[in-house]
Structures are given as structure tokens and as C-alpha cells.
Amino acid sequence: MPWPQNIVLKEGNFALTKNFKVNISGNPNPRIFAGVTRFLRRLDGRTGLFFEQGFITKLNEFPNAELQINCTKSGKIGLYEDESYVVEITANQIKINATSDLGALHGLESLLQMLQNNSTSYYFPNAQIFDFPRFTWRGLMIDAARHFQPVDVIKRNLDGLAAMKMNVFHWHLVDDQGWRIEMKKHPKLTELASDGQYYTQQEIKDIVKYADERGILIVPEIDVPGHGSAILTAYPEIGSKFISLKTDFEKKNQGAAIVNYGIERNAGVFSPTLDPSNPKTYQLLSEFFDEVCPLFPGAYFHIGGDENEGKDWDENPKIQQFKKAHGLTTNHELQTYFTMQLVPMLKKHGKQLMGWEEIMTKNMSKDAIIHSWKGVNEGVLPGKSLVDAVKNGYKTVLSNGFYIDLMYPVASHYLTDPMPQNADLSAEEKARILGGEATMWTELASSTTLDSRIWPRTAAIAERLWSAEDIKHVANMRKRLENVSFRLEELGLTHIRNKEVILRNIANNQNTASLADFSNVCEPLKGYSRNKGGTEYQMYSPLTLFADACTPDATDALVFNNAVDAYLTNKTPENKAKVVVFFNKWISVNKDLKTLSANAPLVQSILPLAQKLNNASVALLLVLDNKSTLQKEELKKIVEQCNTKEHADVELAVYESLLKLI
Amino acid sequence: MPWPQNIVLKEGNFALTKNFKVNISGNPNPRIFAGVTRFLRRLDGRTGLFFEQGFITKLNEFPNAELQINCTKSGKIGLYEDESYVVEITANQIKINATSDLGALHGLESLLQMLQNNSTSYYFPNAQIFDFPRFTWRGLMIDAARHFQPVDVIKRNLDGLAAMKMNVFHWHLVDDQGWRIEMKKHPKLTELASDGQYYTQQEIKDIVKYADERGILIVPEIDVPGHGSAILTAYPEIGSKFISLKTDFEKKNQGAAIVNYGIERNAGVFSPTLDPSNPKTYQLLSEFFDEVCPLFPGAYFHIGGDENEGKDWDENPKIQQFKKAHGLTTNHELQTYFTMQLVPMLKKHGKQLMGWEEIMTKNMSKDAIIHSWKGVNEGVLPGKSLVDAVKNGYKTVLSNGFYIDLMYPVASHYLTDPMPQNADLSAEEKARILGGEATMWTELASSTTLDSRIWPRTAAIAERLWSAEDIKHVANMRKRLENVSFRLEELGLTHIRNKEVILRNIANNQNTASLADFSNVCEPLKGYSRNKGGTEYQMYSPLTLFADACTPDATDALVFNNAVDAYLTNKTPENKAKVVVFFNKWISVNKDLKTLSANAPLVQSILPLAQKLNNASVALLLVLDNKSTLQKEELKKIVEQCNTKEHADVELAVYESLLKLI
């Protein structure tokens, strides 16, 4: 995963032994050496074979090695690179041939996924793979502004991206809730607007290098002109908020009337917006870019541009006057004026501007890349801006449908294709669709829970962006995803291991079994329904709760649903038993959770939900045994109790399946 | 834990609510602000109360806050600081009073440990604590040379130290296996001798600051003149190895005959040693210190000095000549000559020299701190050098008995006291015993397993170094340690969570229950018996094996032992049942592991041991039922099979208890 473009399995195997060695030839970028060394260590960690080869540091070290890697040229980090590779496994040798080291690294990931075993040994099945990506932009965005994500969290996720053959990391570094970049010439930004949580320039360079070594382009984002609370906390003088000067003192001391902006602690869309009519705005932004751009060698810079509501612009007479003076009839046109000023600031550093879809208006430079994000929730046709963009001559990247922070099931992301099905697009227009990007906003994700919000679902998105269009069998994907998820652990990702950490805290160090069982049928509230209005959770509120231990695609829910379907199709005792086992489990979970709660206050909030599932289980057990004395309506009422979002920010993922049994 | 010097519990409680706030007054160091903010977040994470107070950044922000912290002065990082504090909890208010913020931070840790709950709410019991440390040096050493430990691993362990009121982090940065410090003037050291794994100077500064914020002094170590492989890989010209120049070419080209040193991949004591007769040795070391010392504001620098076997010195005529010329009769004296050259190099930077006990000879400066480490394994009386040191006028720190890498049970460390019991020491001599230090050597610890080797046992060492001498009730300590261990998780420490990660890999993503059960009666081989000869494991060998999932103090072993003792004291059916349950468990573990192994080659190596425990269980079950037909000798033979170190680098921790039942 992602499934290769071409794979042919053959008879026989390549047996792995402790003598296994790797040799590299050709003209690769030196990043291949560390890459192959990491491959060797991971393979050795899985198999415990104690390989003799330690570090690989030069070309042609072991000309007779079992694994031969050849690259024609040095890979460049960026779009449109040839990332193809060929893996050929025969009984005595494995060959990876690739145009560049970027393809070779992909080939090594495929090889790791090919590892098989019997009861005593490990082998690779003989096979031939020829593989290349469908889209050139296969990205993940992490929001490090809402909840700061330390260096190690970013690094392990870069490892995850590389394992999934993704090649773009979009780093959302500035938002209302914080400025996260050390600024040597403008230290106020971190002093006043970061709570001390930011990346030093050295750390950024280190992460850029780490990404480069894994074939990943970093696209930084500074979100302007909206989402401006943090910037305006440091530089209130470039804010748009109008204050009518009332007292004489104020009128004489213009400075004293400057708005006091503050770091935003809630989630949502806020009015603090940069003033597009103020020359100082452009002067400062230009200076920011002068300091930040050189940290990122990549050719793209994301300037945000989303969710500017224009409230402060409308209320500010000076800005209204500016609009008139420049013949800008709408705020949208004013924003375009603003954005166009940034184009040369970035071009100076060899960077192309990218922004969320709001930056697209008739006057926007065609060089800009349009990041399509709106959909049903925003009251527009999903991906509409993507089609508009390519028809208007823009390159574009799709994120609508890939909002992994919203806790939707993996299948919904997997079946979202950046290439629209029914749009009438020319080949040229289609070519402007660069790919897609999973977006991990962090209003509700701490560094403890982030990985479980990103993985494993992002692996399915990776497959959508890499593999052929017709690879879209959900059940098959799910099966492979389970194994991929397990293997991602070896990269240090914590999506599996941290669940128990949260449950232990909730259980107050008592036995977590019943909590774990219950978490396997509960899912965090989806969309924007957890943290309604954005004010229930401040950015420093605890994310150590039951909802934080739960994930989309609750594991038992799927198994239960299949059991119910099988039973309803064919009411054999075996099929019945597979349903009954769950009901009995949930009845005892309810009992155990009650016991647990005697010494665990954090369990209290889930008890009502466990009770409701218990009640439905008891009632439906009687139905299955033909012993129910309840009217259908009464039964429905009991099951309907399970259709609730009122408890502990989770919902029961088995409700639909329960309904079927009435 | 550590248990306070004085604690008085009173009637009543302080009830914790979401309105709980903190106020700081007095003249503390600003590190208190971030410290209190961390305290609030941890408390909120445990309780899920959604405290309204976010970040604490100034004095006297909430004069009416429930928690009032007052510090008289700003704390200095170093020895002999007043770290005392008073916590007073009453129904309406909590006060922490301390001389400095260092004491206040300790008080906050005590408060966190006081948290109680009933079924629905959290509270602190009314109490009064007056507390201070017994020893001023309460340290942990981490070896980042054998296995490099990334920044985040160091940071989370610093958090662990602070939680346990420890105040010294000894950072072993250079050894045969690598040089781990970025050197701007001597880049060869990391280019040739680090495998790319080292700390940048910026990262070191960042870690020093992180430690400072937690009240922790960092003592860096560059180990010389022995353990020199890494240094000599970069600078072979200052090595001691003699090569007789044979060919004419060699004789003419002295340089060509320089020994090719290489980074050491094995564990053990090796001969590469710096040449004490070569002026360039001192020139280079002086330059190294000039670059490294300013990174560390602390007043101490550890120069190692251990395990110099002198083999290369003995074989080098030039060095022998040098010895004679300087009237140095032994290698030990020669090493003292060497070490004495370093004293002014360090003094120049305001640093006092510290070294392992080998540096102590009659000519050694009394300013040096002697680090006592040898014991039974090295053929000397444990801690002998400590007594010698104080009698000779040296200050000293004890590590013998605190070698946590050797996998001995927590009780052995807990009962090791830096203050010798039977030595006849004056008050002045006693005062020279600064304290103790847990040493975590990493020949067999990766960043995945490191935490589980350090924690929770180091918490017991922390108690030994902080609490009163008579606090040494092992069973009581064990009980508290279990809770402390659980709470350390919230700091990001992975000692609990990573066990399942390793087991999942071994199980090849099958059910890990039987592996977990078995791991709870197995312990890694102790002392130096894993990795015999130091060559079985290279520094890049897999540490993803069963022994890496196991820890000292196997949890089930202790419970089983207590059950056996209770049964043998009083053979009631209830007591018998408590023993029987384990035998039945181990019989089914053996069966389940066999099933598991069909698709998990890494399980194979433990099957013989599981079989042996199964056989003993079957036989002893019959004994318990008075149905055994075996002779005592036959029975003993079966149980004796469990006394083995031949499988998977672990031993059965229940063997002694099994023996009792024969």
C-alpha cells in the first residue's frame, strides 16, 4: 500500500538470512545511503536476523550483495520528478532500479511490505513490480499553530509519509492561535504570540533536511490576511479593526487607540485581519518572507488566504476609502489586491504562491496554486473550486474530502478522487490537477493524540493519490490497511500505543479492558460537532478524555455490522452466536465500567452511554431468542437511545447495525 | 515518592474544581512560570476539569487564587542549593512556600502526588509537608554514545527526573562507539566518528535550557584517555598504539603508518587510548573543551578516565620513555599526569573536574570529584573507592549499586545507600559524600527501550537519595512505585506503552496476550550475561526481541512468590487456588505461544522456555493435588529445567518460588 501500478507474482522465494547485504550503484543523491541504512535496520528489527551490514555509506561497497540498487541520477525534491522504480525479486537476488534515489526509496518501502514469513523464517516472494505515482502532489498538512507539535512529532510523521510514498508536507505554521517560527529580526512574534512554543530556525532547517532525506518537499504556510490574531498580537498597528477615537486624549494619541489583539484560545473563524490599505502591512510581510523563505528550499509557499470574513474591513472607513480609490468593488477583490502584493515578495526568493481557494478571483495571477478545500459543510459543491481553478488556468490541489481531523471513516477519504468524475475537462485541464492533500487541523489534537488522527487513514489517502484510479475496493483496502497500520509503529508513530496511555489515565490505573472494549464501538463526534461553537475546548483544555482515545472506524463496529448482515441473510445458530457474543460483551462492559467508575471520575461521563448500549443489548438478545415481549415501537425506542451525541463527545458506531435487528 | 522528610495528614480536604487557579509571589526565577503552567496542564489532564487558567506568565496575577506559591529568591542550578519547600493544604487554600523556585517546583510535584479521588471528584487531603533532600547530588547518567538517544528521549527523561526531584543529569557524550557533539572547529569528530548521530550545539543549548527550567544541572562527559576509539577515528595521530615501521616506504612516510582506528561496534573494554606523551593530545583536548565547555553553564565536567587498561601504553616505547623521563612508575601515575593536564583546561572555563574512580591517585588534585563505580563485578568491595575518596579529602558520588542497565531488581538499588554503614567516617568526611547517580549504559538499550530500563527503578533510587535514611521498607516502596510509574507516563515516558509495541512486532500483529503473560514472569539476563563477550550484539543489532520487552521485577513473579509463601504457611483451599491459577495460566500460555509461533518466527526462541515452565506447572499441579507419582529427584529435575539462561536472553523469575513447592 499504495498498491503498485504493475505487480506480477512468480513462483519461488528469496530467503532472507543474516548474510543479507545491500549494494548501491549508479549516480544517486547521497540521501540513498541513510535511506538504505534505515531500511536495513527496520528489516532487521522485524526479523531479528542480526544482519552483519551496519551502515551503508558508499557506492559499490558489496558488489555481490543480494540486494542491488541502481539509480541513474540524483533525485530533486519537488514536483514532476520521475519517482518510478522497478523491483525484481528472484531466488538469489533482488534488484531495485530507479531513475533516481527518490524512486529507489519508494522501491525499498514496497520491498518492506513484501516481507513474508512461515513459522521459522522470512522471505520475499519472487515478483516483478513496475511502479510510479498517479499524482505528483501527495501531501499531508499538519497544523502546528492550534496545538504546537514538537520536532519529534513532525519527524515521525515525515517517516510515515515516506513509508506511504507521499512527497509533500504542508506545514501550517501560523494562525490565530500562534506564530510558530523563530524570527531573528522580529522576535516580538514569538515573544508575544507563541506561548514559548515555536520552532527555532535551526530546528526548521533540521526538519527540512530530514524531509529531504526522505524525498519530501516542505511547503510552509503563513496564513494571511485573515486568521491574523497572532501576527496582530505582535503588530497591532497593521490590524484592520477600526476604533472610533472618542476622547481628546485618544484623538491626540492615535497610538493609544490601537486595538489590543490577543492570541486566540478558542476554535473558529475570527475577525482579526491584516490591513490591506496599510503600507506597513506589506513592509512587514516582506520582511517576514525574507527571513522565512530561505529556511525552505522548496519552490512553493502557502499564504493561506482563507476565511477572511471582511467584517473589520467593512467597518473601517480608511479601508473602505482605499477600496474605492483602487476601484475594488468587493472584499474579495480587495483580498486579491492584497495577495497580488505577496507574489513578487515570494518570487524574489524563487517561490510560487499557493493559497486556499479564496485567493482565486479574476485578477489573481495564474501562477498561483489553488488549494481546494470547501465542500458541503461550507455550502458549496465539493471540489467545485478545483474544477473552476483548472478551467481558469490554475494548477490545483484537492483537500476537500481529505479533512482527516473531522473523524470521518477511512472509506469516505479513500473514495474521494482528485480527478472529478463528471466534469468535462480537457487533457490540459486535467494535467493541472496536481493531486491531493490530507489536512490535519489540530483544534482537538495534542501531540499525544495527533498520530491516531493521521494514521492509518492517511495511508488510504496515499493509495488514492499514488495508485491507479480503479484501485478502490474498500474491503480489500481495509484488510491491507490493518497491516500497514501495525507496521507504521516501527517508525515511532504512536497511533496504536497511545490509546492505552489515555485509557490508563481515565481508568486511574485500574484494568482498562472494559474501557478498551467500549472504545472499540465508540467514535469521536464527526465534523464540527465536538467542541460546538469552538468555545467548549480552549487550546489548553485537556485532550486526555475518552473521545481522545477513540478513533474513526471503530474496530468492533465493523465486525459487528458484518455479523448482523450475515445473520440477517442466513439465520444459522453460528451466525446468531457471532451477534450474541457482542451483546454479552457489551452487557459485561457496562457492568465493569460501573465498577471501574467507583475509583475513576473520568469514567462517569461514559456510563450513561454504556447503559444505553447495555439496554439495547439486553432487549435485542431477547429478540434473537424470540423471547421479546416488547412492541416493535418500544424496542425501537430502546435502540434509538443509542443514537445520541450527548455523552463524552462520542457516538456509538453500532447504532445502524442495532436498528437492523428490530 | 520520594517520601517527604515531614508529612502530617489532617482532617478534611481541598476540593478541586474547574475554577482552581494559581498565583505566584515573591522573587522566583522566571522558570517557575512555565513550571506552574506544566503543573496545571498535568493536573487538568488527569482530572479533565477544564481549568480556566491557561498560561501563567507573571507574578501576582490572581491574588485570590486557591494555590498560592511564594518563593523568597531565584534558585541557582547547581549543588548545595536550598531545595526545601513547605506545602500546606487546607479546605480553602493551598500554600507552597519555598526559599526558591527550585523548592517550589519540588512542592508542585509533591502536590501532584497528593491528588486523591472518590467516584466523582478530585481533592487534596488537608496536610502539611516540610521537605528537603538528604543528598545534594541526585543524578541519572544516560549513555548517548553506545546507542544515540535523540533530543526528545533526553527531554522526556529530564521530565522524569524533575518529577522525582532529581537534580543532576550526567550526559555521557563520547565513548568508543561515537562522538555525539557537533564541533564547529573539529568537524572531523562527527563526520568520521558519529555515523551522523550527534547533537547539534543548538540542540545541546536547548536541552540545557530545558533542564534548567526543571531545576536540573547537566554534567557533560567526554571520556578520556581510554574509551578513545571515536576520538582516535578522527585523530589517529594522538593514539597510543605502536606500529613498528617495517618497510622503507613506512619508515620514510611516518604518516602512512598511523593506526587506522575505527568506531567500535561491539561492547566491552577496548585498547584505543589517547597518547599522554604527545603534546598534540593536550592541544586538541584543550580545543575540544574550549568549544564544549561554553555549551554547559554548570560547574562540573566529567572526563571519564575509566577502564584504561594501558595495553597500548605498555607496548609503545615512546610512551615508556616518557614515563621514565617524568618519573612515573605506573600507568596509573601516567594517567594521573594526563588527567592533571586537563584540570587547568577546565578551570579556565570555571569547571571542576570529575572522573570515574580510576582518576584517584596520590597526586590527583583534591578538587576533583571521584565517581565511585566499581564493586563485586570488578573484584573490589562495593563502594570502597567512595570511602577512600572521602578519607583522602575528595568529594564523591556513588554509582556502584545504581547500575540500572544491568537489570537487577529495584530492591537492590533501593537498599544501596551512598552513606556507608560500617565505615568510620568523620562528619567532615561524610559531608564529602555528595550523593548518588543511577547509570544507564546503553550497549543494550535503544530509544524504544531506554525508558523501560530507567523507569520506574530510578524513582526508587531518587527516594534513596532524597528521603531520610530510615525510609527503606521495600514492600511499601513497591506499592507506591507502581502508582508513580503509571503517573510518569503523562510526561511522555514510554516505559509502559512501548512493551506492547515490541510484543506486537514479535507476534507479527497477532494477539499478544500470551506473550504479555509470559513476559510477566521473564526477566532479561542480569549483569553482563546478555551479550556475552560483547560481540553477540553490535551497536546496530536489533533490540526488538523478547528480552527487550521484559524488565526486571517481572510483575507476575512477585505475586506468584507471595502466593507460594502464603500457601506454604497455610495450606487453605483459597491459598492453593492462588497458586493453581498461575500454573493453569502458564500451561495455556505455552499452548498459545505454540499457536502464535506458526506465523511468528520471533516467537520460536522462547518456546523451549515456555515448554519448561509448562512442564514444571503440570508436575507441580499434581503435587498440589497430592497426585504426583514422581520421586522428589525427578520433580527437582523438571523444576531445575526452569533454571536456565539459554533461551532468548531471558530467565524465568519464578524459578526460586517453584523450587519451594517441591
Side-chain angles (χ1 to χ4, degrees), chain A residues 41 44-55 117-122 152 155-156 195 197 200 202-203 206 265 448 482-483 486-487 489-490 494 496-498 500-501 504-509 536-538 540-545 597-602 604, chain B residues 41 44-55 117-122 152 155-156 195 197 200 202-203 206 265 448 482-483 486-487 489-490 494 496-498 500-501 504-509 536-538 540-545 597-602 604:
Chain A
R41 294 287 82 75
D44 209 12
R46 290 182 189 186
T47 60
L49 283 170
F50 287 74
F51 294 145
E52 288 161 5
Q53 204 175 4
F55 294 84
N117 64 275
N118 52 34
S119 64
T120 55
S121 49
Y122 294 90
D152 58 306
K155 283 187 177 176
R156 69 190 184 220
D195 301 309
Q197 299 183 314
T200 64
Q202 186 63 49
E203 285 173 333
D206 178 38
R265 301 304 184 188
T448 302
E482 197 188 322
N483 196 50
F486 152 60
R487 285 302 184 194
E489 273 209 298
E490 80 191 359
T494 62
I496 302 174
R497 73 190 85 175
N498 279 3
E500 273 292 316
V501 175
R504 265 192 291 276
N505 185 52
I506 294 172
N508 205 8
N509 206 25
E536 191 192 340
Y537 288 81
Q538 270 71 46
Y540 45 77
S541 294
L543 293 171
T544 52
L545 309 175
S597 73
N599 185 27
L602 284 174
Q604 293 295 340
Chain B
R41 295 285 83 75
D44 209 11
R46 291 183 188 186
T47 60
L49 283 170
F50 287 74
F51 294 146
E52 287 161 5
Q53 203 174 4
F55 295 84
N117 64 275
N118 54 34
S119 64
T120 56
S121 50
Y122 295 90
D152 58 306
K155 283 188 175 175
R156 69 191 183 220
D195 301 308
Q197 299 183 315
T200 64
Q202 185 63 49
E203 285 172 333
D206 178 39
R265 303 304 185 188
T448 301
E482 197 188 320
N483 196 50
F486 151 61
R487 285 302 184 194
E489 272 210 297
E490 80 191 0
T494 62
I496 302 174
R497 74 190 85 175
N498 278 3
E500 272 293 316
V501 174
R504 266 192 290 276
N505 185 53
I506 294 172
N508 204 8
N509 205 26
E536 190 192 341
Y537 288 80
Q538 269 72 46
Y540 45 76
S541 293
L543 293 171
T544 52
L545 309 175
S597 73
N599 184 28
L602 283 174
Q604 294 296 339

Side-chain angles (χ1 to χ4, degrees), chain B residues 294-491:
Chain B
L295 302 174
F296 297 94
Y300 307 91
F301 204 108
H302 204 300
I303 57 87
D306 56 321
E307 300 184 318
N308 170 20
E309 298 196 317
K311 186 170 158 285
D312 286 0
W313 288 0
D314 290 338
E315 292 172 0
N316 189 323
K318 192 176 133 255
I319 294 175
Q320 290 307 314
Q321 208 178 341
F322 182 87
K323 259 169 81 171
K324 262 187 225 148
H326 287 75
L328 304 164
T329 51
T330 65
N331 281 340
H332 215 158
E333 285 181 18
L334 176 56
Q335 184 171 336
T336 303
Y337 172 90
F338 167 86
T339 310
M340 286 302 290
Q341 310 308 305
L342 310 188
V343 173
M345 296 180 198
L346 293 169
K347 207 169 216 164
K348 176 177 154 196
H349 295 284
K351 305 252 185 287
Q352 213 170 317
L353 182 145
M354 178 170 187
W356 301 102
E357 62 183 75
E358 287 96 324
I359 68 163
M360 180 169 57
T361 57
K362 63 178 197 301
N363 292 323
M364 189 64 214
S365 160
K366 300 291 175 193
D367 278 348
I369 298 177
I370 305 303
H371 199 159
S372 172
W373 71 277
K374 291 189 181 179
V376 177
N377 184 67
E378 291 74 29
V380 304
L381 211 63
K384 179 181 178 304
S385 62
L386 178 124
V387 174
D388 291 349
V390 297
K391 295 209 167 185
N392 289 329
Y394 295 99
K395 286 181 182 144
T396 181
V397 170
L398 182 69
S399 274
N400 183 271
F402 299 136
Y403 267 46
I404 50 177
D405 62 312
L406 299 185
M407 302 291 135
Y408 290 114
V410 64
S412 73
H413 303 306
Y414 190 60
L415 298 176
T416 298
D417 197 312
M419 198 55 69
Q421 296 305 294
N422 303 316
D424 183 25
L425 298 182
S426 68
E428 206 183 339
E429 284 162 352
K430 280 183 180 171
R432 293 193 194 117
I433 297 175
L434 301 179
E437 194 175 287
T439 52
M440 183 60 221
W441 302 103
T442 57
E443 284 89 346
L444 293 172
S446 70
S447 55
T448 301
T449 63
L450 184 78
D451 296 357
S452 75
R453 275 59 192 131
I454 297 177
W455 306 104
R457 289 176 301 149
T458 295
I461 296 173
E463 178 155 293
R464 173 59 45 241
L465 300 175
W466 177 285
S467 306
E469 191 175 354
D470 62 349
I471 303 296
K472 55 184 180 187
H473 190 284
V474 171
N476 178 294
M477 174 275 289
R478 275 190 203 282
K479 214 178 132 188
R480 291 179 292 124
L481 190 65
E482 197 188 320
N483 196 50
V484 161
S485 181
F486 151 61
R487 285 302 184 194
L488 284 170
E489 272 210 297
E490 80 191 0
L491 302 170

